[in-house]
Amino acid sequence: MSQSVERINDFVVKFANVNGSGSASANQLFAKSILRMGVPVAPRNIFPSNIQGLPTWYEIRVSEKGYLGAHGGVDLMVAMNPQTWDQDVKSIDAGGYLFYDSTKPIAKSKFREDITVIGVPLTEMCNKEYSDPRQRQLFKNIIYVGALSALLDIEPKVIEDLLAEQFKGKDKLIAPNIHALYMGRDYALKNLQCPLNLRIRRADAVGDRISIEGNAASALGAVYGGATVCAWYPITPSSSLAEGFQKYCSKFRVDPETKENRFAIVQAEDEIASIGMVIGAAWNGARSFTATSGPGISLMQEFLGLAYFAEIPAVIFDVQRGGPSTGMPTRTQQSDLLLCAYASHGDTKHVLLFPEDPAECFEFGATAFDLADRLQTPIFVLLDLDIGMNERLCAPLKWDDSRRFDRGKVMTAEELEAGKDFGRYLDVDGDGIPYRTYPGTHPKRGAFFTRGTSRDRYARYTEDADAYRDNMERLLRKYDTARHIVPKAIARPSKVPTKQGAIFFGSSSAAMHEAVDRMEEAGIHLDTLRVRSFPFGDEVIDFIASHEKVFVVEQNRDAQLRTLLVNELEIDPAKLVPILHFDGTPITARIISGAISAKVKPARLKEAV
Amino acid sequence: MTFLAKPKLHHPALKPNELGYTRRDYEGSISTLCAGCGHDSISAAIIQAVYQMNLPPHRIAKLSGIGCSSKTPTYFLGNSHGFNSVHGRMPSVLTGANLANRDLIYLGVSGDGDSASIGLGQFAHAIRRGVNMTYIVENNGVYGLTKGQFSATADRGSKSKKGAINADESIDMVALALQLGATFVARSFSGDKTQLVPLIEAALNHQGAAFIDVISPCVAFNNHTGSTKAFDYVREHNEAVNYMDVITPRAPITVEYAQGAVEDVTQHDGTKLRLRKLAATYDVHDRNGAMAYLQTRKAAGEIVTGLLFVDPEAEDLHVSLNTAKTPLKDFNDPHLCPGSQALDKLNASLR
């Protein structure tokens, strides 16, 4: 039965596939065709910790309004995996559609009354057309894309163009793919009611935006930020960041004449060695980074304390996943805040950056190296699986050609020769940041011994109590300097004056903006503040001070951002209301608005009381 | 030993080397290790080697982990940058440093606790990557700073100062280095400067992963009867396969040796290692032979010392990574940042 209302450019399509069946590129083709029709989409991979055989899903949220957060629910399920059939059918919203391969009869009890079922005999069509098993498999995916194009009213020319782009250089493959596309499309037009009530209509809502994964954008940021040394150890969901760096370096960093590399990438034996190499390279004057996830950060703790105390620049990209322990390696969370903020034993505090999308991954990816050199300390860029491993629509990446690397305070051979006083841990400028020298600068001056043990302002070993305290207090001054130069939080005031606010960060951004719109429609008004870094700037203090109640929205169980706010700003905990989501799925507007609404009486209701 | 600062005064008779530096310019601050510690002899050997090699002190970077041995870089090469890192992790820090600046000479100093236990993995991986470095393990078979526990290089059956017998098999760092592809492998004894100084010189000249295991008795906790790392024991069981002189093109050595007992090995940088062979049949180019020889002599209770293996044409990590000849640290914006035009192109490909 088909009682659903017409939904144009606003619905969710989910593909249920088997890992390793070649579905990914067909699904991406489908998503991209909608984008090319000017309609924003937010695709998400939902995949198990597995290479072949286990279920995998690809969810595409279509939203002309540009809401890119996860939506929850499914309007059209493309059920290609018998293993997950029951679960997939169950997940469809009432009034939604089920698209399936009808080659083999399926018992009526396996369907639902309240959804529309669309069967296409995909396997039969493939078996008739192709004899090679791999072709049968791969073209089946293109055939369903063809059928869906008819059902959803996607322009076939757009898909043809995309196929031509995809197989540029392997032109022989273009025609057979277009043939398969039309096999599906023609079948649907002839045998099914097309289009459905779910429909794509050409729009102009994408603009000049691009689609890129946050990991790739971060890697590009590292290239633009001047990183030359990368040491890493494979770990989901961060591996594609280091691999992206390799890819972009091969493109941009090979000397055109000598063919030599202006970069060095080492796959280390573990995360401890990775951060050790990063620290060694940074100590020696190269910009260096590692990419990892929570378990890697756990292993790096001792070295991170050394880098903090010995004041060595290092950049760490942490693509967060579900923890603790091995947790859920292929699911998303924002649960490494406390781990990174206070990494290592003793009194340590680190600088964290929270990009909201790939565009900011690029920006922060580059800026992190300037901050690391300027502050001579580790800088963490905290992204997560949701923005790291999914292609996210975002602003085009921008670079100002007049921008120069900020290498921070480095004393030169000339300055040393001229007799300038050099104390490695001497606070000359009052900002807590001392000067450093690169090894090998001057034959007789400027050499110093780097150590994790205590030392005086001239880097001489000492266990003297006053010297130790002096150094630790200077590190606090440096931390205060950091507070003023890290990216500032961004406020978005409500249309109506309100005493209620919400603080959020990172990948929650897309869902948060949508939630605010939703709540606004329901009469709940919130000022919001997107925190972009730690330590917190004055704008965060002011925002909290100017509101009676502040919701802190985050994707972890223990309200880690809230903990940092309470701890660092001495905020009354009662004022900060945690809104938490931590099941490994990305947070949605529905979840945020539901949770906040439950704790707030809409303003107009309050007045009526 | 002492907290007294070392006087800056130079004896006027101190002879400068070709660069005009005296031995004093290669020294560090006064050692705080125990009087008679083998490690101090190794520090002195390093100073002697670098002085003789006429190396500018600031072109060397000295790195270490944690432990008595890892403290020693403070006591030599005071005009070189030093890095006392974390326990067992010197190899990774050194690897990173080397990636950043291939023009410096890297000296890693570690101990048997640092490299054979907590840092065994990093030791192995730095060696197998062929990092261009001199990696010295000051091996005394015991944890000194924590007062006398066995280390992983303590021989099975050897006795601790308190009388405990070590039941675990020992790790032979030289055997490991050979298996892992080190291109320069040697063992020596802190009490045999004649052998040690040229080995350090040759290792510093070597363009690849050079490893020297130096037996360095701990006078405080492992110098008693029943220990196989005590001064007396090592002297009695030291079986040197060769001694050598390092001959640079500028400073030829013209000593006459008996026919057949000398072999010259020319390293990649042009320095010649003139080996005086004590074990006539020992071949320093035979990796497998070296491993077999070591095992056989160990079974006979002997400690084999000398240059044990060398590949004079070794290549290092930078060769396999095809890194630019210019140190990576010296590249700046124009060479590293692709600029906005490249980014616009990339953006266009992502729509």
Side-chain angles (χ1 to χ4, degrees):
Chain A
M1 60 189 191
S2 170
Q3 81 284 56
S4 50
V5 288
E6 195 167 72
R7 299 263 297 279
I8 296 171
N9 294 351
D10 180 25
F11 53 88
V12 175
V13 183
K14 193 167 179 177
F15 297 82
N17 299 101
V18 178
N19 222 3
S21 67
S23 57
S25 65
N27 297 346
Q28 279 163 14
L29 176 72
F30 173 80
K32 211 155 191 185
S33 68
I34 300 173
L35 267 180
R36 286 286 175 91
M37 286 179 65
V39 181
V41 296
R44 282 183 171 79
N45 293 295
I46 302 148
F47 59 102
S49 190
N50 166 261
I51 298 301
Q52 200 178 54
L54 284 188
T56 174
W57 293 268
Y58 187 71
E59 182 186 286
I60 296 167
R61 178 174 187 190
V62 180
S63 168
E64 187 174 344
K65 281 188 178 169
Y67 293 137
L68 304 176
H71 184 271
V74 181
D75 298 302
L76 166 60
M77 170 63 74
V78 181
M80 302 301 294
N81 185 358
Q83 249 181 303
T84 57
W85 176 271
D86 292 341
Q87 176 187 347
D88 293 335
V89 171
K90 202 175 149 199
S91 70
I92 303 168
D93 283 0
Y97 297 87
L98 169 70
F99 178 98
Y100 80 110
D101 179 355
S102 60
T103 304
K104 280 185 191 162
I106 291 176
K108 205 165 172 244
S109 62
K110 288 286 198 182
F111 296 100
R112 271 169 52 186
E113 287 293 317
D114 59 344
I115 56 173
T116 305
V117 176
I118 306 158
V120 176
L122 295 168
T123 306
E124 192 189 312
M125 289 164 73
C126 278
N127 290 355
K128 230 184 255 171
E129 186 75 17
Y130 307 106
S131 53
D132 175 55
R134 187 65 189 156
Q135 277 190 339
R136 284 177 174 176
Q137 175 71 61
L138 293 177
F139 284 125
K140 192 199 280 185
N141 301 325
I142 301 296
I143 293 172
Y144 74 61
V145 171
L148 290 173
S149 76
L151 289 163
L152 299 174
D153 215 5
I154 297 172
E155 296 166 17
K157 176 75 172 51
V158 169
I159 307 178
E160 286 180 45
D161 290 348
L162 283 168
L163 284 169
E165 285 172 31
Q166 187 184 337
F167 294 111
K168 201 175 162 193
K170 299 178 213 161
D171 293 12
K172 265 193 223 161
L173 294 172
I174 299 172
N177 273 283
I178 291 178
H179 176 71
L181 178 77
Y182 275 94
M183 272 171 70
R185 188 173 169 85
D186 293 344
Y187 178 91
L189 289 172
K190 196 173 153 195
N191 299 291
L192 305 168
Q193 194 189 334
C194 295
L196 306 176
N197 279 336
L198 304 178
R199 222 177 288 169
I200 303 295
R201 185 174 62 203
R202 188 168 268 283
D204 188 18
V206 173
D208 67 346
R209 282 186 284 179
I210 60 166
S211 278
I212 186 171
E213 291 179 3
N215 284 354
S218 301
L220 256 178
V223 171
Y224 274 72
T228 51
V229 176
C230 165
W232 68 293
Y233 186 73
I235 181 171
T236 305
S238 77
S239 303
S240 58
L241 203 163
E243 286 161 354
F245 186 68
Q246 172 82 56
K247 185 180 101 181
Y248 290 123
C249 279
S250 306
K251 192 178 163 94
F252 294 123
R253 288 279 194 78
V254 179
D255 187 298
E257 278 158 34
T258 64
K259 305 290 172 208
E260 288 168 349
N261 297 330
R262 291 177 187 150
F263 63 92
I265 301 170
V266 173
Q267 184 186 316
E269 58 268 34
D270 53 33
E271 287 90 344
I272 302 175
S274 305
I275 190 69
M277 289 179 202
V278 168
I279 287 170
W283 171 76
N284 218 358
R287 293 193 150 186
S288 57
F289 76 96
T290 187
T292 188
S293 190
I297 305 280
S298 290
L299 283 169
M300 294 175 188
Q301 295 288 305
E302 187 184 21
F303 255 133
L304 290 168
L306 173 74
Y308 171 81
F309 194 62
E311 299 181 66
I312 294 165
V315 173
I316 301 110
F317 292 93
D318 175 7
V319 189
Q320 297 167 94
R321 65 189 218 184
S325 189
T326 311
M328 295 198 285
T330 60
R331 311 290 155 161
T332 196
Q333 253 180 15
Q334 299 177 314
S335 52
D336 294 344
L337 265 68
L338 292 174
L339 171 74
C340 294
Y342 301 122
S344 206
H345 55 273
D347 293 324
T348 56
K349 295 189 200 205
H350 301 286
V351 175
L352 319 179
L353 305 179
F354 308 121
E356 67 165 344
D357 67 0
E360 222 168 49
C361 286
F362 172 75
E363 186 189 330
F364 288 0
T367 302
F369 292 93
D370 282 348
L371 286 171
D373 268 344
R374 172 58 45 188
L375 294 164
Q376 299 175 19
T377 199
I379 307 289
F380 293 79
V381 184
L382 289 187
L383 47 162
D384 59 25
L385 185 143
D386 190 36
I387 47 174
M389 285 189 74
N390 290 311
E391 285 200 345
R392 179 66 66 85
L393 198 61
C394 65
L397 310 181
K398 280 194 196 76
W399 188 259
D400 174 2
D401 285 326
S402 68
R403 179 173 166 171
R404 290 289 166 267
F405 300 156
D406 174 10
R407 297 307 314 261
K409 298 186 189 180
V410 181
M411 206 171 272
T412 62
E414 293 71 35
E415 290 169 318
L416 291 166
E417 185 61 37
K420 198 166 175 182
D421 184 28
F422 173 68
R424 174 63 184 99
Y425 300 108
L426 191 64
D427 185 2
V428 184
D429 306 317
D431 57 3
I433 306 171
Y435 282 78
R436 63 174 180 144
T437 52
Y438 298 143
T441 300
H442 190 279
K444 291 211 164 183
R445 291 174 190 157
F448 67 95
F449 208 81
T450 303
R451 45 166 64 90
T453 41
S454 187
R455 67 276 151 139
D456 66 12
R457 293 173 176 183
Y458 287 84
R460 291 173 299 222
Y461 180 83
T462 178
E463 293 173 24
D464 178 72
D466 290 336
Y468 172 81
R469 211 177 59 191
D470 174 65
N471 185 57
M472 289 300 280
E473 285 173 354
R474 181 183 53 76
L475 286 170
L476 269 189
R477 280 204 298 284
K478 184 168 92 166
Y479 201 64
D480 192 59
T481 301
R483 218 168 67 75
H484 293 97
I485 63 172
V486 293
K488 293 221 173 314
I490 294 176
R492 192 168 113 163
S494 160
K495 287 173 189 155
V496 177
T498 172
K499 284 285 161 197
Q500 299 186 120
I503 290 180
F504 63 100
F505 69 100
S507 71
S508 303
S509 196
M512 190 68 204
H513 290 314
E514 183 183 353
V516 168
D517 289 355
R518 270 178 186 234
M519 286 186 282
E520 210 153 64
E521 283 165 23
I524 299 169
H525 301 285
L526 288 176
D527 295 331
T528 64
L529 184 76
R530 181 165 70 87
V531 169
R532 299 200 299 163
S533 58
F534 177 79
F536 307 117
D538 289 338
E539 72 282 6
V540 180
I541 301 172
D542 296 344
F543 181 87
I544 296 172
S546 61
H547 291 87
E548 281 165 10
K549 191 191 269 186
V550 176
F551 297 99
V552 184
V553 180
E554 47 190 319
Q555 301 183 54
N556 59 64
R557 185 194 68 179
D558 291 344
Q560 297 190 22
L561 181 70
R562 179 175 174 272
T563 303
L564 290 177
L565 290 166
V566 168
N567 193 38
E568 295 293 324
L569 305 180
E570 297 186 13
I571 308 283
D572 176 3
K575 196 171 175 177
L576 301 177
V577 183
I579 302 293
L580 306 170
H581 175 74
F582 57 91
D583 64 6
T585 63
I587 199 166
T588 64
R590 212 183 286 189
I591 291 166
I592 299 171
S593 60
I596 293 182
S597 303
K599 294 182 196 242
V600 172
K601 282 183 190 159
R604 57 171 179 259
L605 290 184
K606 222 185 234 171
E607 282 157 22
V609 171
Chain B
M1 199 166 91
T2 174
F3 288 102
L4 287 177
K6 212 179 227 179
K8 287 264 179 204
L9 287 173
H10 284 194
H11 192 281
L14 277 180
K15 199 177 151 228
N17 63 10
E18 286 174 17
L19 293 179
Y21 296 113
T22 68
R23 262 190 59 106
R24 265 302 175 73
D25 294 316
Y26 295 99
E27 290 177 358
S29 52
I30 284 184
S31 170
T32 60
L33 300 176
C34 308
C37 177
H39 297 355
D40 283 333
S41 309
I42 300 171
S43 296
I46 291 169
I47 291 166
Q48 182 69 24
V50 177
Y51 166 77
Q52 285 176 190
M53 290 169 77
N54 297 302
L55 288 175
H58 70 301
R59 302 310 295 170
I60 304 169
K62 48 183 185 172
L63 298 99
S64 63
I66 294 290
C68 290
S69 54
S70 291
K71 278 171 168 263
T72 64
T74 311
Y75 316 137
F76 57 80
L77 301 179
N79 287 316
S80 303
H81 270 70
F83 198 148
N84 190 188
S85 67
V86 292
H87 199 18
R89 317 297 179 201
M90 173 274 285
S92 64
V93 179
L94 190 152
T95 302
N98 187 304
L99 292 174
N101 185 356
R102 61 189 298 175
D103 280 357
L104 299 186
I105 294 168
Y106 293 92
L107 174 59
V109 176
S110 179
D112 40 310
D114 204 53
S115 279
S117 289
I118 188 168
L120 188 62
Q122 294 218 338
F123 162 77
H125 289 276
I127 296 281
R128 65 179 268 271
R129 282 189 190 104
V131 179
N132 186 4
M133 63 180 173
T134 297
Y135 192 129
I136 297 178
V137 165
E138 306 187 346
N139 184 355
N140 57 16
V142 75
Y143 285 83
L145 274 179
T146 52
K147 304 194 175 179
Q149 300 82 6
F150 283 121
S151 86
T153 62
D155 287 312
R156 187 200 286 268
S158 64
K159 198 163 85 178
S160 79
K161 197 176 180 184
K162 286 180 180 162
I165 302 295
N166 179 33
D168 300 340
E169 188 50 71
S170 66
I171 290 175
D172 184 344
M173 304 291 288
V174 160
L176 278 181
L178 283 167
Q179 192 278 318
L180 291 163
T183 44
F184 180 109
V185 182
R187 178 180 282 142
S188 192
F189 172 42
S190 64
D192 189 354
K193 225 172 170 176
T194 319
Q195 186 187 50
L196 181 57
V197 173
L199 281 175
I200 294 172
E201 286 186 41
L204 289 170
N205 279 323
H206 183 73
Q207 304 294 307
F211 175 68
I212 312 176
D213 177 30
V214 188
I215 313 288
S216 174
C218 172
V219 289
F221 298 108
N222 207 11
N223 197 27
H224 47 269
T225 310
S227 158
T228 57
K229 299 277 192 292
F231 273 111
D232 288 347
Y233 185 92
V234 180
R235 278 200 195 96
E236 281 160 23
H237 296 82
N238 186 347
E239 187 196 301
V241 292
N242 52 38
Y243 278 75
M244 73 177 171
D245 296 307
V246 178
I247 308 164
T248 60
R250 281 175 306 175
I253 293 176
T254 52
V255 183
E256 292 296 318
Y257 294 105
Q259 193 69 22
V262 172
E263 181 190 352
D264 283 349
V265 179
T266 307
Q267 293 211 102
H268 204 64
D269 69 329
T271 53
K272 198 178 278 180
L273 313 181
R274 178 154 294 172
L275 294 169
R276 284 174 283 142
K277 296 164 77 166
L278 301 185
T281 56
Y282 191 85
D283 180 2
V284 292
H285 305 291
D286 179 1
R287 190 184 288 276
N288 294 337
M291 290 197 265
Y293 188 83
L294 281 169
Q295 292 303 316
T296 315
R297 299 314 299 157
K298 190 185 173 191
E302 298 300 320
I303 302 164
V304 178
T305 62
L307 176 63
L308 304 174
F309 175 78
V310 64
D311 172 2
E313 295 300 319
E315 289 186 335
D316 82 325
L317 177 60
H318 282 286
V319 174
S320 49
L321 291 177
N322 189 31
T323 341
K325 298 287 177 300
T326 308
L328 292 177
K329 75 173 255 288
D330 292 336
F331 285 113
N332 231 311
D333 307 67
H335 298 109
L336 299 180
C337 184
S340 64
Q341 275 192 352
L343 203 55
D344 291 344
K345 245 193 213 168
L346 205 85
N347 281 325
S349 73
L350 297 167
R351 291 192 175 110

